Amino acid sequence: MIPIKVAGVSVGTRSPAAVGLQYLQPGALNLTALPPLSLYIHFPWCVRKCPYCDFNSHEARGAFPEKAYLDAVRLDLEQSLPLIWGRKIYTVFIGGGTPSLMSAAGLDRLMSDVRTLLPLDGNAEITMEANPGTFEAEKFRSYRASGINRLSIGIQSFNADHLKALGRIHDDREAMRSVEIAHANFDNFNLDLMYALPGQTLDQARHDLATALAYKPPHLSLYHLTMEPNTVFAKYPPQLPDDDASADMQDMIADVTAVAGFDHYEVSAYAQAGKRARHNLNYWEFGDYLGVGAGAHSKISFPHRVLRQARYKQPQSFIEAANQGNAIQEEHEIPRADMGFEFMLNTLRLTGGFAPNLFGERTGVPINAIDKACAEAEAKGLLYRDHQIIRPTELGQRFLNDLQQMFLA
């Protein structure tokens, strides 16, 4: 077992200045304030594993141990409390897997545990992922009553052939029905769509987007299908549109969403006014998050260090570890030399960039630590910066991986 380490300074009781810099260890950080804190809860089961998916998901062959898992999640939360004493939770995200496989009673119990153990902000955004094929109108009304105030629906496509090629368990009719149920019960929801699918044409991608827009979603996530390692598609790659066709689809998405009044605020995220995904924004702005459940990751800041954790990935291993007193499989502090890259890896996804003072606030490192890389990126036309903003250029957005890699220590 890896012991949970608690910072030497109690969060919320003493300011960083009160500690005295003379007591800091070499390489220690100096965060003047702690970032906002989010909660991520992982639900690891799916009806079937999709061939493109590299998330920590496991096929539920028959019944899955819902009660034992929720018991373990509560234990994981309880064991994590010393790391976040006194800090409020501003957003909650229940992801997977397919959390909408959870029973209405199970979700209600989970939300009750969260409210009992953690100080939730009164205006907290509470999102749950849901997949078509698991939608039941009555169950989703119960989810809403339990406190879920935002859905993220994994549509991927409204085309029956493309859904079959992606290995999805739903068809086009179930996709549309799921959006109708969401629309009837939630005023805030996201639709996930993918493009550059096997055999997909530009007109088919345009039709998928038009179908989604017809439901007036507050938020859209539009992802380019990629071949991730350790997936079925990586082993047996399908025939995908070429780079030119994919670029045409990307240009079409930018044009159509702009006309429809969506703000393209992150690489894959498009929102109506006031409907940005607050939970995801906290990731992209290098905020903190406590992750509980099988395979969940955490990033937790203290005045002089930033801690990363990962839980056991296999559901049964996670349940056993939580019952034994510690569900954490891996834990390390982010080295000072890596802070610039870690920060820029996230914030460069934001099309509008970030204010320069955010760098020091979230990393505890002066911004001159990335000055050389910024200058090189600026010289290549990948980055724009002035005293108010640092952001990727349009070229930098197109070659984001190359831009991010320039900040590796």
Side-chain angles (χ1 to χ4, degrees):
M1 287 294 180
I2 302 172
I4 297 178
K5 302 173 185 177
V6 181
V9 179
S10 298
V11 175
T13 59
R14 297 169 66 189
S15 70
V19 180
L21 293 180
Q22 66 269 30
Y23 297 111
L24 298 185
Q25 296 296 318
L29 309 175
N30 183 28
L31 276 72
T32 56
L34 299 183
L37 178 64
S38 295
L39 173 67
Y40 175 79
I41 304 169
H42 192 74
F43 182 87
W45 287 285
C46 281
V47 174
R48 184 170 65 209
K49 182 84 170 179
C50 295
Y52 59 84
C53 177
D54 68 338
F55 294 126
N56 182 35
S57 59
H58 307 265
E59 288 189 11
R61 295 181 175 89
F64 52 86
E66 180 176 279
K67 182 182 182 303
Y69 187 75
L70 293 177
D71 288 345
V73 168
R74 179 178 176 117
L75 286 171
D76 192 5
L77 269 175
E78 290 173 344
Q79 293 155 15
S80 302
L81 291 179
L83 295 173
I84 58 169
W85 284 130
R87 298 182 65 180
K88 187 176 288 188
I89 302 292
Y90 291 94
T91 68
V92 179
F93 195 102
I94 305 170
T98 305
S100 50
L101 288 177
M102 212 180 318
S103 69
L107 189 278
D108 191 61
R109 177 259 167 98
L110 175 61
M111 290 305 303
S112 177
D113 287 345
V114 168
R115 285 190 291 265
T116 299
L117 295 171
L118 298 171
L120 276 185
D121 180 70
N123 192 36
E125 175 194 89
I126 304 175
T127 304
M128 186 177 77
E129 287 185 335
N131 284 333
T134 65
F135 267 72
E136 301 166 16
E138 186 59 40
K139 188 163 75 168
F140 277 81
R141 281 192 285 271
S142 296
Y143 289 164
R144 185 72 180 89
S146 295
I148 303 299
N149 55 30
R150 184 176 182 271
L151 280 187
S152 183
I153 310 171
I155 298 293
Q156 314 314 353
S157 177
F158 290 99
N159 181 298
D161 291 335
H162 292 150
L163 289 169
K164 187 175 181 180
L166 290 172
R168 303 295 289 177
I169 66 168
H170 65 277
D171 60 21
D172 52 328
R173 290 169 298 176
E174 288 175 306
M176 290 184 279
R177 176 63 178 152
S178 68
V179 184
E180 290 166 1
I181 293 173
H183 212 303
N185 292 282
F186 294 85
D187 56 7
N188 194 9
F189 61 92
N190 166 67
L191 301 182
D192 272 358
L193 288 177
M194 301 175 78
Y195 65 95
L197 306 178
Q200 188 179 42
T201 66
L202 177 61
D203 283 344
Q204 288 171 331
R206 191 190 308 275
H207 185 265
D208 264 355
L209 182 55
T211 304
L213 290 172
Y215 290 102
K216 302 188 184 310
H219 193 281
L220 286 170
S221 297
L222 297 162
Y223 300 106
H224 188 296
L225 176 63
T226 55
M227 301 295 100
E228 300 292 348
N230 304 314
T231 64
V232 173
F233 272 5
K235 189 174 183 179
Y236 305 104
Q239 187 67 39
L240 301 179
D242 61 25
D243 290 345
D244 288 341
S246 296
D248 288 343
M249 292 179 194
Q250 193 171 349
D251 290 341
M252 177 274 296
I253 288 168
D255 293 341
V256 171
T257 52
V259 169
F262 282 79
D263 171 28
H264 182 199
Y265 68 99
E266 187 269 345
V267 172
S268 304
Y270 303 74
Q272 295 282 11
K275 296 299 183 180
R276 291 184 175 190
R278 287 162 47 200
H279 184 88
N280 290 346
L281 264 178
N282 194 42
Y283 290 148
W284 299 321
E285 292 175 345
F286 209 51
D288 279 359
Y289 47 93
L290 172 65
V292 297
H297 289 249
S298 299
K299 170 192 169 275
I300 304 175
S301 299
F302 303 92
H304 306 303
R305 65 192 186 110
V306 178
L307 187 68
R308 285 204 182 277
Q309 299 174 329
R311 270 64 179 167
Y312 286 89
K313 291 182 68 174
Q314 292 294 328
Q316 190 56 41
S317 298
F318 165 76
I319 291 170
E320 292 171 0
N323 282 315
Q324 292 169 12
N326 190 354
I328 299 165
Q329 184 176 25
E330 299 176 12
E331 181 179 82
H332 70 276
E333 293 183 18
I334 302 177
R336 181 185 179 93
D338 292 347
M339 291 300 293
F341 172 69
E342 293 255 0
F343 178 90
M344 298 299 276
L345 184 67
N346 287 277
T347 53
L348 286 174
R349 293 182 63 89
L350 295 167
T351 58
F354 60 93
N357 62 358
L358 187 69
F359 182 86
E361 289 177 10
R362 298 290 161 90
T363 67
V365 176
I367 196 166
N368 61 15
I370 59 168
D371 190 63
K372 181 180 178 182
C374 282
E376 291 175 356
E378 196 174 14
K380 292 183 177 181
L382 301 175
L383 192 75
Y384 172 84
R385 59 174 177 160
D386 58 29
H387 66 285
Q388 291 183 316
I389 201 74
I390 298 174
R391 61 170 174 80
T393 62
E394 186 173 334
L395 184 66
Q397 293 174 38
R398 287 297 179 105
F399 295 93
L400 183 60
N401 288 342
D402 296 328
L403 175 57
Q404 289 166 328
Q405 288 174 10
M406 294 180 73
F407 292 88
L408 279 169

